Amino acid sequence: MKTPLRMCVVCRQQFPKSELIRLVKQDGKIIIDKNNKIQCRGVWICKSSDCISKLKKSKSLNRAFKCEIPNEVYEQIGDYLQNGNINH
Ligand SMILES: [Zn+2]
């Protein structure tokens, strides 16, 4: 069976789901969908340090979600990608 691939929104390369994290917009807030269970449009990001820093610099999520994402959200996502934890 082929592993389903998802595209990283920053580097535009495809990876197996397990190597990416999924972000969704719910009630106007961007949240990290840790269990891939939230049923709405999601954006995928890979865990490379390149993409983490580019994500913040290029504000890729503003485009992906078509809204203004506050800096602290980018910080949170960066922390999560780097350390694997988040305080909601
Ligand atoms: Zn990437």
Side-chain angles (χ1 to χ4, degrees):
M1 209 178 95
K2 240 185 119 196
T3 318
L5 298 174
R6 293 290 179 275
M7 190 180 74
C8 167
V9 73
V10 183
C11 61
R12 311 239 153 221
Q13 292 189 59
Q14 301 213 319
F15 299 92
K17 279 181 176 182
S18 58
E19 298 187 17
L20 301 155
I21 64 156
R22 184 171 187 259
L23 302 166
V24 295
K25 190 167 141 189
Q26 201 177 46
D27 304 326
K29 274 179 68 182
I30 305 304
I31 55 172
I32 297 168
D33 180 15
K34 286 184 225 174
N35 304 311
N36 300 335
K37 278 196 181 134
I38 301 169
Q39 298 288 323
C40 55
R41 204 178 104 77
V43 168
W44 298 82
I45 303 169
C46 74
K47 296 171 186 168
S48 80
S49 48
D50 245 29
C51 284
I52 298 170
S53 55
K54 269 188 210 154
L55 178 76
K56 283 190 216 168
K57 261 183 247 158
S58 65
K59 306 222 172 227
S60 313
L61 296 182
N62 292 25
R63 235 172 309 136
F65 287 112
K66 297 187 173 63
C67 68
E68 189 70 29
I69 315 283
N71 265 330
E72 65 212 53
V73 173
Y74 281 100
E75 299 290 331
Q76 267 191 358
I77 294 164
D79 278 359
Y80 180 75
L81 282 161
Q82 277 168 326
N83 310 317
N85 54 44
I86 186 151
N87 11 323
H88 263 305

